[in-house]
Amino acid sequence: MSGTGEMTGEKSGQTPELHHQHRDVSGGWLRPAVFGAMDGLVSNFALIAGIAGGHQDPKIVLLAGLAGLAAGAFSMAAGEYISVASQSELALAEIEIERLELARNPVAEQRELAGVFEARGVDPETAAEVARQLSRNPEGALEVHSKEELGVSPGDLPSPLLAAGSSFLSFAVGALLPVLPYLLGASTLWPAAAVAALGLFAAGALVSRVTTRAWWFGGARQLLFGAAAAAITYGVGALIGTNGL
């Protein structure tokens, strides 16, 4: 017979404790990684398709694909680094302003924090006491003020190098897929198109993990958009090649 310590809330007459979990609505690491790879896949497959439409030499197509991979990956990495670095520098500058305000006007900043809690429904006395206790630790107060006023935490800013490296790798992986058949000796666009189609569908299906859509819908939608981009650039390439431009 089990002991009383193992009784559930329902058996002991208490209201059973309920638990539930939410999915990560930000997408976590999956969203940027998959979208980076998808960007590389779509852009490089479209580039290869355009070159193949105007020039049938597989060496030329392979060269264009490798050039597109390198150029796109470095461009993505540089853009992501500058973007994240600029954002972090702005956040650090604003955090420093908040730090100076906390040192110069601690009473006013404490009242400001109490006002934030009051706006969220806390009664004035409790809000004032919570703000007073939080303000006793300058670094803790700075973190609370930064989160409430700026939406960032001083010790949790994104790394520009990490963002640049992950963007480079994810884009390069996606861009490499349509190039692989040519690296393995393919002489026509069809093997690359087949690999790209599988990659597009898989990427769209993975993205559906952070949405409410069915995996097959996400995969089919991404496949449709990628195929449309490749078809358009192939047509442009064929048109230019036919006119000898």
Side-chain angles (χ1 to χ4, degrees):
M1 183 174 179
S2 62
T4 56
E6 297 178 359
M7 294 177 63
T8 64
E10 186 176 355
K11 290 182 179 179
S12 62
Q14 300 175 353
T15 303
E17 188 175 356
L18 301 178
H19 298 278
H20 70 279
Q21 294 181 338
H22 290 291
R23 292 181 296 174
D24 181 4
V25 296
S26 68
W29 62 267
L30 178 64
R31 184 183 295 271
V34 173
F35 275 108
M38 194 181 299
D39 188 14
L41 176 54
V42 172
S43 62
N44 215 33
F45 178 45
L47 172 63
I48 289 174
I51 299 297
H55 204 298
Q56 296 299 319
D57 188 345
K59 292 182 179 180
I60 299 298
V61 178
L62 174 59
L63 177 60
L66 292 176
L69 185 158
F74 279 109
S75 176
M76 285 285 292
E80 194 70 12
Y81 181 90
I82 293 173
S83 175
V84 174
S86 300
Q87 183 180 6
S88 296
E89 289 166 2
L90 175 60
L92 288 173
E94 292 300 315
I95 290 172
E96 188 59 29
I97 292 175
E98 192 63 34
R99 188 191 301 275
L100 291 175
E101 283 299 314
L102 284 169
R104 294 171 179 171
N105 304 300
V107 175
E109 289 297 309
Q110 182 176 321
R111 290 174 180 170
E112 181 180 357
L113 188 58
V116 171
F117 295 136
E118 286 185 46
R120 294 188 174 185
V122 180
D123 63 83
E125 293 78 10
T126 303
E129 178 61 19
V130 171
R132 185 187 68 80
Q133 294 187 28
L134 289 174
S135 299
R136 290 185 299 190
N137 178 6
E139 290 302 317
L142 176 63
E143 182 170 354
V144 174
H145 277 275
S146 298
K147 286 183 177 179
E148 293 294 335
E149 299 178 32
L150 304 175
V152 297
S153 175
D156 195 27
L157 294 175
S159 167
L161 286 175
L162 180 60
S166 59
S167 294
F168 181 93
L169 289 176
S170 61
F171 185 96
V173 168
L176 179 62
L177 289 179
V179 179
L180 276 176
Y182 284 98
L183 286 173
L184 297 176
S187 58
T188 65
L189 182 63
W190 291 112
V195 172
L198 289 174
L200 288 167
F201 187 88
L206 278 175
V207 171
S208 68
R209 290 189 56 186
V210 293
T211 69
T212 57
R213 295 287 190 180
W215 63 270
W216 59 265
F217 178 87
R221 178 173 59 182
Q222 187 56 43
L223 176 58
L224 177 63
F225 288 148
I232 292 173
T233 55
Y234 183 89
V236 172
L239 180 63
I240 294 176
T242 300
N243 291 327
L245 298 179

